[in-house]
Amino acid sequence: MHVEVERKFVCDSHILEKLKDIGAVCLGQYEFKDQYLDTADFTLTLKDFWLRKREGSWELKRPTSSNPNTKTRAQDVCTNYREITDVLHIRAELMSIMGIYAEPTTDSCDKDVHAEFEKWLQDMNLECFAEYTTVRCSYALECEVEDQRVRVDLDQADFGYCVGEIEVLVSEGVETASTMQSIEKTAQKLGLGGEQKAQGKMEVYLQRFRPDHYAALLKAHVL
Ligand code: V4E
């Protein structure tokens, strides 16, 4: 299991030049559609749980238990989420957060597990509240801090919003202090200010298209 540590930034017109200057290697451009699900009263997202289907694959992002997103100064611009992709594990996490009794699971083939999971989501009244397509250009760079691999993504969402992300994936339980350092070092090389914080795609999407949901998350200090 992985923890994604990430910093979002506003892209200016010089970003491609800057990435080239710092030796970033382009990994390519690809497009994907995301669908995010929640209950009608926002049970998951109010707890900062983000369930999505991206091009047929499920993922749940949840705050890390050892390092919740209560911010110290150094962490102020970074987020820190555990990523879960196994559907049985996702289901167990969702049951726990929704306060549902866990039934024993039965062995079945991979296709059944996915179909059963999707049927279960329907039974739980989990519905799509956000759907958008992103065109992403990814770049890789090595950072001097403990040779960590840093990725920079430049995202363009189909509702007219662009954002950059500097991210590092670490194994669960690994100290994230050096990871933050790698991210900050990369941010400095790209000429980003220490306090400059950008809105994510989801934040902008909710603000524009789901104002009630957005207001509820702001009130709960999730966004
Ligand atoms: C909104 C949100 C999450 C959903 C995923 O958001 P994001 O990282 O913007 O998506 P994307 O497409 O870049 O996913 P990736 O390809 O990197 O997996 S997960 C956590 N949040 C909340 C959140 C927050 N509170 N603050 C910031 C700056 N970002 C996200």
Side-chain angles (χ1 to χ4, degrees), residues 4 6 8 32 34 36 48 50 52 54 59 61 71 77 79 81 83 132 134 136 151 153 155 165 167 197-203 222-223:
E4 178 195 59
E6 156 183 304
K8 293 185 165 70
F32 50 86
D34 288 329
Y36 285 87
D48 210 8
W50 301 88
R52 78 167 175 225
R54 174 173 291 177
E59 183 171 292
K61 290 191 196 229
K71 310 285 191 324
V77 286
T79 57
Y81 286 87
E83 297 182 329
Y132 48 82
T134 300
R136 170 172 288 177
R151 208 173 86 173
D153 291 334
D155 283 1
E165 295 176 353
E167 68 171 53
K197 197 178 170 184
Q199 287 183 300
K201 289 173 290 183
M202 176 61 77
E203 196 173 343
V222 174
L223 292 178

Side-chain angles (χ1 to χ4, degrees), residues 1 7 16 41 52 87 89 126 128 138 170 185 194 199 216:
M1 214 170 337
R7 175 183 168 162
L16 294 179
D41 53 359
R52 78 167 175 225
V87 291
H89 190 170
L126 287 164
C128 179
S138 288
V170 291
K185 213 157 191 163
Q199 287 183 300

Side-chain angles (χ1 to χ4, degrees), residues 62-217:
R62 54 155 297 172
T64 52
S65 37
S66 58
N67 209 345
N69 290 306
T70 44
K71 310 285 191 324
T72 63
R73 212 208 74 81
Q75 293 171 324
D76 201 36
V77 286
C78 290
T79 57
N80 199 332
Y81 286 87
R82 184 196 291 181
E83 297 182 329
I84 304 163
T85 52
D86 172 69
V87 291
L88 291 178
H89 190 170
I90 292 177
R91 183 173 135 151
E93 290 274 347
L94 295 179
M95 286 173 104
S96 167
I97 203 79
M98 293 164 87
I100 299 163
Y101 171 70
E103 300 154 24
T105 50
T106 50
D107 282 343
S108 37
C109 74
D110 226 31
K111 196 171 166 221
D112 287 344
V113 170
H114 272 85
E116 274 172 28
F117 176 68
E118 295 196 359
K119 165 83 173 56
W120 180 80
L121 292 176
Q122 273 180 7
D123 294 344
M124 293 296 111
N125 296 318
L126 287 164
E127 287 172 2
C128 179
F129 66 89
E131 179 174 323
Y132 48 82
T133 297
T134 300
V135 175
R136 170 172 288 177
C137 287
S138 288
Y139 296 82
L141 54 139
E142 299 281 342
C143 197
E144 302 99 90
V145 187
E146 292 177 16
D147 287 334
Q148 266 177 340
R149 224 166 253 205
V150 178
R151 208 173 86 173
V152 177
D153 291 334
L154 305 181
D155 283 1
Q156 215 172 338
D158 62 356
F159 54 90
Y161 182 68
C162 295
V163 67
E165 295 176 353
I166 304 170
E167 68 171 53
V168 178
L169 282 185
V170 291
S171 298
E172 173 96 75
V174 167
E175 180 51 59
T176 53
S178 67
T179 309
M180 303 262 186
Q181 256 182 289
S182 295
I183 291 178
E184 280 320 298
K185 213 157 191 163
T186 306
Q188 281 168 15
K189 286 184 191 169
L190 290 173
L192 307 173
E195 315 75 32
Q196 194 187 7
K197 197 178 170 184
Q199 287 183 300
K201 289 173 290 183
M202 176 61 77
E203 196 173 343
V204 173
Y205 182 94
L206 294 174
Q207 200 171 11
R208 289 187 192 172
F209 306 111
R210 300 271 175 178
D212 293 350
H213 196 160
Y214 179 69
L217 296 182

